[in-house]
Amino acid sequence: MAYTSFEELEVWKRGCRVAVEIYEMMKDCRDFGLKDQITRSAVSIASNIAEGAERDSKPEFIRFLNIAKGSAAELRTQLYIAQRIGIISTSDKNHLIPELKQISAMLQGLITSIRNQLKT
């Protein structure tokens, strides 16, 4: 895991892209409660990756990566609900869910890598 800044991490870049897509998708949503929850979850993914990367310890970084992973799962759940109640289209949901699953897998890979570094 050689990087000099969180901006170099592909998982952070993808998290940012998802957040932008969510904001664009939700811009006309009138259900302000769900809109707020969805946008917060989306922003939380990349934000927690960045915050953890800037912490001064690997265990803290792992903790924030786990929070980011939780936010990705939370967002997936909200997208399923939003699609079922007609706030987003099935195609939007079907586009974002696999991307969020991939982000979660990438986060787990990063967590595993950092844990392995702690063992050596």
Side-chain angles (χ1 to χ4, degrees), residues 19 31 34 43 52 55 58 60 71 73 88-90 93 119:
D31 183 330
L34 188 57
V43 169
R55 295 290 174 134
K58 289 180 180 178
E60 277 284 285
S71 293
I88 66 167
S89 69
T90 300
K93 181 203 72 166
K119 292 177 185 175

Side-chain angles (χ1 to χ4, degrees), residues 1-3 58 61-62 110-120:
M1 184 187 69
Y3 70 97
K58 289 180 180 178
F61 192 13
I62 290 170
L110 188 51
I111 290 165
T112 300
S113 174
I114 296 167
R115 280 191 182 134
N116 288 339
Q117 290 174 10
L118 289 171
K119 292 177 185 175
T120 57

Side-chain angles (χ1 to χ4, degrees), residues 3 6 9 11-12 15-16 40-55 60-72 74 107 110:
Y3 70 97
F6 65 84
L9 296 171
V11 69
W12 177 83
C16 285
R40 285 176 184 266
S41 296
V43 169
S44 181
I45 298 167
S47 297
N48 278 293
I49 295 166
E51 185 171 353
E54 291 294 310
R55 295 290 174 134
E60 277 284 285
F61 192 13
I62 290 170
R63 185 171 78 82
F64 279 90
L65 291 173
N66 275 307
I67 293 168
K69 200 171 157 212
S71 293
E74 183 180 1
L107 288 166
L110 188 51

Side-chain angles (χ1 to χ4, degrees), residues 97-109:
I97 295 295
E99 177 64 9
L100 289 164
K101 286 181 178 182
Q102 184 62 39
I103 287 170
S104 290
M106 293 171 76
L107 288 166
Q108 186 58 53

Side-chain angles (χ1 to χ4, degrees), residues 8-63:
E8 295 176 20
L9 296 171
E10 185 60 29
V11 69
W12 177 83
K13 292 174 187 176
R14 289 173 77 164
C16 285
R17 282 195 295 269
V18 164
V20 169
E21 285 185 52
I22 289 291
Y23 264 89
E24 290 170 351
M25 182 187 314
M26 301 300 293
K27 70 180 176 198
D28 295 324
C29 179
R30 307 290 285 157
D31 183 330
F32 298 110
L34 188 57
K35 177 181 181 176
D36 182 60
Q37 195 67 32
I38 288 172
T39 55
R40 285 176 184 266
S41 296
V43 169
S44 181
I45 298 167
S47 297
N48 278 293
I49 295 166
E51 185 171 353
E54 291 294 310
R55 295 290 174 134
D56 204 19
S57 76
K58 289 180 180 178
E60 277 284 285
F61 192 13
I62 290 170
R63 185 171 78 82

